[in-house]
Amino acid sequence: DTGVSQDPRHKITKRGQNVTFRCDPISEHNRLYWYRQTLGQGPEFLTYFQNEAQLEKSRLLSDRFSAERPKGSFSTLEIQRTEQGDSAMYLCASSLQGAVEQFFGPGTRLTVL
Amino acid sequence: GENVEQHPSTLSVQEGDSAVIKCTYSDSASNYFPWYKQELGKRPQLIIDIRSNVGEKKDQRIAVTLNKTAKHFSLHITETQPEDSAVYFCAAFYTGGFKTIFGAGTRLFVKA
């Protein structure tokens, strides 16, 4: 499968624990996006990378959230001190430089108990 | 802030009928409007998109119209089939920026 991949697909954690998710974009895509999707809602933009540079971060994003893309390939999203309100599907998408179509990964479903 | 409103939230049609989903955006700088289909438990997939310099685009049974003045855009599905049943999301994007704003989604049921 040469599409966007995400790992893990499911994560159950206890409140207060830290979690980290990984996204592998399509290999030649230098743009990478993270979104959060809750039940019955559309994806909510979290952050954007162009190569290794994080160029935009949602104002709604808590300081407990951090994302990296150290070598401009895969990206990680970390949530520290998880809260029950963090329970959601975390989606990653990628696109080519100069293109607008975003290709989504299968998502990581986070459940915070 | 930027916002995209989508209506209706749920739409039920008989197989063969048409379905129309409408969206309104707030950021006048938006110039790219994709539509995504998301089946249960699957990733969103792009089904059609339109840029701000075009008023209408069609791809087989799917068409999208854009009214930039009113900041409205709509998805039209003709001759609906049961496999069209899914959640559909509209979105607005400014190609000079990085943020895509999605609507809340429309759950489409096509009854056989």
Side-chain angles (χ1 to χ4, degrees):
Chain A
D1 185 358
T2 56
V4 179
S5 62
Q6 292 186 245
D7 184 70
R9 297 291 306 277
H10 303 273
K11 178 70 177 179
I12 300 174
T13 191
K14 292 183 178 178
R15 190 174 51 189
Q17 298 295 304
N18 298 345
V19 294
T20 300
F21 310 141
R22 177 178 169 127
C23 170
D24 285 89
I26 294 171
S27 60
E28 62 268 27
H29 288 189
N30 66 333
R31 293 182 171 184
L32 188 146
Y33 306 79
W34 283 100
Y35 296 89
R36 175 172 59 194
Q37 186 177 26
T38 53
L39 200 61
Q41 296 297 315
E44 175 193 3
F45 172 83
L46 295 179
T47 191
Y48 163 76
F49 288 86
Q50 185 162 301
N51 299 309
E52 66 276 9
Q54 187 175 19
L55 296 186
E56 187 154 358
K57 187 175 175 180
S58 170
R59 292 189 303 273
L60 303 175
L61 203 59
S62 160
D63 290 343
R64 296 183 297 106
F65 287 70
S66 62
E68 294 183 341
R69 195 182 182 198
K71 297 181 180 179
S73 56
F74 73 91
S75 176
T76 58
L77 177 68
E78 181 183 16
I79 309 174
Q80 296 182 327
R81 304 181 303 281
T82 52
E83 302 172 357
Q84 287 184 325
D86 297 332
S87 295
M89 175 73 84
Y90 289 84
L91 292 164
C92 175
S94 69
S95 67
L96 270 170
Q97 179 75 30
V100 290
E101 181 178 354
Q102 295 179 34
F103 295 83
F104 280 85
T108 295
R109 182 167 295 284
L110 173 66
T111 302
V112 182
L113 302 176
Chain B
E2 306 96 339
N3 186 45
V4 173
E5 292 189 1
Q6 183 170 348
H7 299 281
S9 56
T10 305
L11 179 59
S12 184
V13 299
Q14 203 67 35
E15 182 178 3
D17 288 350
S18 295
V20 180
I21 302 170
K22 299 183 178 182
C23 289
T24 303
Y25 62 98
S26 61
D27 186 356
S28 56
S30 298
N31 57 1
Y32 172 67
F33 306 92
W35 286 88
Y36 287 86
K37 176 183 181 182
Q38 188 174 29
E39 297 178 63
L40 190 63
K42 296 192 176 180
R43 70 191 77 189
Q45 293 202 308
L46 182 72
I47 56 170
I48 195 167
D49 55 17
I50 191 167
R51 292 180 182 263
S52 59
N53 58 349
V54 175
E56 184 173 355
K57 183 177 178 181
K58 190 173 181 180
D59 182 4
Q60 300 182 343
R61 296 187 296 109
I62 296 173
V64 58
T65 59
L66 171 65
N67 182 331
K68 274 209 76 177
T69 303
K71 297 185 199 170
H72 289 169
F73 58 115
S74 300
L75 178 71
H76 305 252
I77 306 174
T78 58
E79 301 171 25
T80 53
Q81 301 165 3
E83 52 264 39
D84 294 330
S85 297
V87 179
Y88 291 81
F89 294 99
C90 62
F93 181 75
Y94 169 52
T95 57
F98 317 109
K99 186 184 295 187
T100 305
I101 306 299
F102 283 82
T106 295
R107 184 172 294 279
L108 174 65
F109 296 96
V110 180
K111 296 175 287 187

